[in-house]
Amino acid sequence: MHIGVVGAGVVGLQTAWQLRLRGHRVTIFDPKPGHGATRAAAGMLAPISEVQFGQDKLYPLMLAALREYPEHIARLARATDRPHGYLENGTLLVAGDRADLTRVADHARVHAEHGMHTRPISQQRLREAEPGLNPRLAGGYEVPTDHQIDPRLLVGALQDALSAELDPGDFPGVGPAAVSREETVVRIDESDGDGATQDLTTAEGRVHRVDRVLVACGLGYRSLGGVTEGFPLDLRAVHGDVLRLRLREGYLAPGERHVVTATVRATVLGRQVYLVPRADGGLVVGASVREDGLSGVNAGCVQELLEDAVTVAPGVRDMELVETMARARPGTPDDIPYLGHVPDAPGVVVSTGYSRHGILLSPLGARLGAALLTHEPLGDDDARLLETMDPTRFGEGAGPARERLAGGIPA
């Protein structure tokens, strides 16, 4: 089967990889692969430290996604020698002062209520574990099961795996190398009356015929014409400002590895800031959450992020600031993605609205998206997860995921 993937962010590329592993021919459409929200993401795989109050339905998705990562990375590593940046280095939730510690403790109680594993960490233990942290921090919690990945490296590894000639002995039934077209899809239409094939029209004036389509172009979904026009989704642009810093040569003392070695998520004066160390000496600091319509970098957010990062780890002050970036993430009313068939277009599946959690949720979204496109049988757990992400959940027509899958076009 020939499947078109519209959008080469992490969700689109992960789904394309899953489809290739299943033996399908894949063509990916994106004018700038990997340069949307994925490019700015820090890559925290943090179903515990990322959760917010009132997101009970999001927790199972995040936990299920994290469980898929080790096997996903192992399979990717068999296909390519390109680095992926997956690191099981744990997360520290820390507080700037006593008031901040109360807020962090409130979150920890929510974690405990949902069976998530955190443990308190004292000021002394913080100093021993991370000497680069400010000794005046009020304390916090350890989250050993929250990890990280470098999204930019992950994109490169996925692109390499998708284009490589793979040994069928290592990957039984694998499909041909994927084709990447740096074109913008502007319209999706059924080629015939029964929806068995689809026509993708690009801004360059070309029409590409495929059997099925995955729409994973984030906020770009809103500008598509054709079959998706009758199925508008409630998507909004949630901008985030992210900073990238790097250690200066000779800055570290003998025996030191970095300013911080664990991922640090801090509450400082009620604001959130995270510090994600990279193995190459880089440090990602982020990220603001704003809906002010400014697509560029917000100066005030940069100031606050730097101030809070220095409060947490004073050594940040002496690092080199190498990049500031802002990207719009596709948000939904409940922060849960949209993943499912487009009504009245059974050959088209939408996968968008991942907001701040796209990197973490991408292996899960990719596997389930591939299952929907190819009409694989669903287990009970997967059906429940898809029900949570049902793109019709805010309007009429919502129904059990298993029933809608069975009612689609035949595989």
Side-chain angles (χ1 to χ4, degrees):
M1 185 158 43
H2 185 193
I3 300 175
V5 174
V6 181
V10 68
V11 173
L13 291 174
Q14 296 270 39
T15 310
W17 174 232
Q18 289 287 336
L19 291 166
R20 188 187 179 193
L21 290 173
R22 287 163 167 76
H24 300 288
R25 175 185 167 203
V26 182
T27 301
I28 306 164
F29 299 86
D30 194 311
K32 297 184 70 176
H35 277 71
T38 298
R39 180 86 180 154
M44 291 182 295
L45 308 178
I48 297 180
S49 54
E50 274 280 294
V51 297
Q52 304 293 323
F53 294 110
Q55 293 186 328
D56 292 14
K57 291 185 178 180
L58 184 59
Y59 302 158
L61 295 174
M62 298 171 78
L63 291 169
L66 184 64
R67 287 193 293 268
E68 301 211 3
Y69 249 99
E71 182 180 351
H72 165 69
I73 292 298
R75 187 184 296 116
L76 187 61
R78 293 203 312 271
T80 175
D81 292 331
R82 290 279 295 269
H84 44 65
Y86 179 67
L87 184 62
E88 296 184 349
N89 65 332
T91 295
L92 294 173
L93 306 180
V94 302
D97 58 25
R98 303 303 298 179
D100 292 325
L101 186 58
T102 298
R103 297 183 181 94
V104 174
D106 287 341
H107 278 280
R109 280 194 289 272
V110 173
H111 301 154
E113 289 170 2
H114 289 83
M116 299 178 182
H117 179 51
T118 63
R119 55 178 180 249
I121 184 169
S122 66
Q123 291 171 303
Q124 179 179 347
R125 171 69 182 129
L126 272 177
R127 288 195 294 272
E128 294 171 351
E130 294 288 348
L133 291 180
N134 190 334
R136 296 184 179 182
L137 293 176
Y141 291 79
E142 293 179 293
V143 190
T145 56
D146 278 3
H147 307 310
Q148 65 153 294
I149 196 165
D150 187 330
R152 297 182 181 183
L153 294 181
L154 177 61
V155 164
L158 285 166
Q159 289 173 322
D160 197 56
L162 283 163
S163 62
E165 294 298 328
L166 300 179
D167 185 349
D170 292 331
F171 296 92
V174 70
V179 174
S180 180
R181 296 188 178 276
E182 294 187 0
E183 302 176 39
T184 302
V185 172
V186 296
R187 187 175 182 88
I188 304 171
D189 295 288
E190 291 185 345
S191 310
D192 45 45
D194 60 5
T197 56
Q198 326 294 322
D199 284 340
L200 304 182
T201 303
T202 69
E204 294 75 13
R206 301 182 183 92
V207 177
H208 302 271
R209 181 159 294 183
V210 298
D211 299 308
R212 310 272 169 84
V213 180
L214 177 82
V215 184
C217 52
L219 293 165
Y221 179 91
R222 301 181 301 187
S223 60
L224 287 173
V227 298
T228 61
E229 288 183 281
F231 186 53
L233 294 175
D234 191 347
L235 287 167
R236 70 188 195 281
V238 182
H239 287 88
D241 305 284
V242 177
L243 317 179
R244 281 176 167 79
L245 301 95
R246 135 174 102 209
L247 289 169
R248 294 158 54 193
E249 187 174 353
Y251 174 73
L252 295 178
E256 291 181 335
R257 291 184 294 156
H258 212 309
V259 172
V260 292
T261 57
T263 298
V264 177
R265 188 171 195 84
T267 302
V268 179
L269 300 178
R271 300 189 297 256
Q272 299 292 312
V273 64
Y274 57 70
L275 290 76
V276 185
R278 298 289 193 231
D280 63 358
L283 183 73
V284 183
V285 175
S288 63
V289 178
R290 54 184 177 80
E291 300 183 41
D292 57 2
L294 174 64
S295 59
V297 177
N298 182 286
C301 291
V302 172
Q303 178 189 17
E304 288 184 354
L305 289 171
L306 284 174
E307 287 177 349
D308 294 345
V310 170
T311 296
V312 174
V316 170
R317 182 188 301 276
D318 296 313
M319 296 183 73
E320 179 185 1
L321 178 62
V322 295
E323 181 182 84
T324 61
M325 176 176 287
R327 286 292 189 270
R329 299 159 291 197
T332 68
D334 55 6
D335 277 342
I336 293 173
Y338 296 123
L339 177 56
H341 290 285
V342 172
D344 301 321
V348 181
V349 168
V350 60
S351 185
T352 187
Y354 287 80
S355 190
R356 301 180 358 259
H357 311 298
I359 306 300
L360 169 60
L361 294 177
S362 61
L364 176 67
R367 181 177 62 80
L368 295 179
L372 287 173
L373 287 160
T374 58
H375 294 282
E376 295 176 10
L378 285 173
D380 290 340
D381 291 342
D382 285 345
R384 281 191 289 269
L385 294 174
L386 278 172
E387 194 67 32
T388 300
M389 296 184 282
D390 186 349
T392 69
R393 63 184 180 270
F394 298 117
E396 297 180 359
R402 191 188 303 277
E403 294 176 12
R404 292 197 311 282
L405 184 59
I409 60 178

